[in-house]
Amino acid sequence: MTPNTARRRETSRRAILTAAFDLLQETGYAKLSIEGIATRAGVGKQTIYRWWPSKGAVIFDAFLMLSEATEGGPPTLPDTGDLAADLTVVLRATVEEMNDPRYEQPMRALATEIAHDPELAAAYAERLDGPLKEAKRERLRSAQRAGQIADDVDLGVAVDMIWGPVLNRWLQRSGPLTAEYADLVVATALNGLRPRRSSE
């Protein structure tokens, strides 16, 4: 592939992903089509099908493109030495992202497609969810090394306990998704469900 061909291909790819993302905001996922994406991007349908097997796969790459543009580099969590403060910052940011109209439609579209498409689910786990979960586990490992959480805690389960309630509330629309809720999730996860001992 010549440099000019590679540049044209990348230009077309970005045009398709941008078109898909913009149309998703304008029409919603149910009305989004490969034909509509192709028309907006100024390419043929076969160009899209040559690179992506479904509109769900297109949306996934569009979401990755947005994530890479806003974050850059591998995911990491803050580590100031104060686990509760760091998790509160991260979970509040997660809540803000889920409430952001730019992200909500593509994230809900992805959630729908992942539930029905095993190949897309595997790609999501490998390229996005897996690295994010490892970054979360690494922050908890640091807390273990510092003696802030028990050595025998299963870090995978701990990640699910901290981030799972926020994701579930967002998916099910079962209650307000607020910074205050994020704070309660962190406090409950770190303090446990046992009653506090009264001081003597």
Side-chain angles (χ1 to χ4, degrees), residues 87-88 91-92 94-95 98-99 160-171 174-189:
L87 291 180
T88 296
L91 217 60
R92 282 187 171 204
T94 301
V95 165
M98 288 178 163
N99 287 329
D160 289 342
M161 288 178 62
I162 295 167
W163 277 269
V166 170
L167 177 60
N168 184 70
R169 180 171 280 208
W170 177 78
L171 280 171
S174 57
L177 197 58
T178 62
E180 291 74 19
Y181 179 69
D183 295 350
L184 282 173
V185 168
V186 171
T188 302

Side-chain angles (χ1 to χ4, degrees), residues 20-172:
F21 198 84
D22 290 345
L23 284 171
L24 188 59
Q25 310 299 314
E26 295 169 16
T27 68
Y29 189 66
K31 295 181 180 179
L32 185 68
S33 67
I34 294 295
E35 291 83 354
I37 296 170
T39 299
R40 175 67 67 92
V43 301
K45 284 193 302 181
Q46 291 309 311
T47 299
I48 297 177
Y49 281 121
R50 188 162 57 243
W51 294 336
W52 294 279
S54 66
K55 70 176 184 178
V58 178
I59 292 303
F60 177 46
D61 273 4
F63 185 69
L64 281 177
M65 183 177 71
L66 178 66
S67 299
E68 290 164 1
T70 56
E71 296 171 9
T76 57
L77 268 64
D79 189 349
T80 65
D82 186 333
L83 179 62
D86 291 344
L87 291 180
T88 296
V89 166
V90 172
L91 217 60
R92 282 187 171 204
T94 301
V95 165
E96 287 183 13
E97 184 176 284
M98 288 178 163
N99 287 329
D100 187 332
R102 294 177 304 163
Y103 289 92
E104 184 175 12
Q105 281 277 14
M107 286 194 296
R108 289 194 182 279
L110 275 177
T112 298
E113 287 298 308
I114 285 169
H116 297 94
D117 186 338
E119 288 186 8
L120 184 60
Y124 174 77
E126 178 184 350
R127 297 172 62 193
L128 185 61
D129 194 44
L132 285 172
K133 282 187 173 178
E134 178 53 32
K136 294 166 185 176
R137 287 193 295 267
E138 181 54 38
R139 179 61 188 90
L140 296 182
R141 284 190 199 102
S142 176
Q144 279 184 323
R145 292 191 291 268
Q148 296 173 335
I149 58 177
D151 290 336
D152 59 352
V153 165
D154 184 300
L155 298 184
V157 173
V159 167
D160 289 342
M161 288 178 62
I162 295 167
W163 277 269
V166 170
L167 177 60
N168 184 70
R169 180 171 280 208
W170 177 78
L171 280 171
Q172 304 296 331

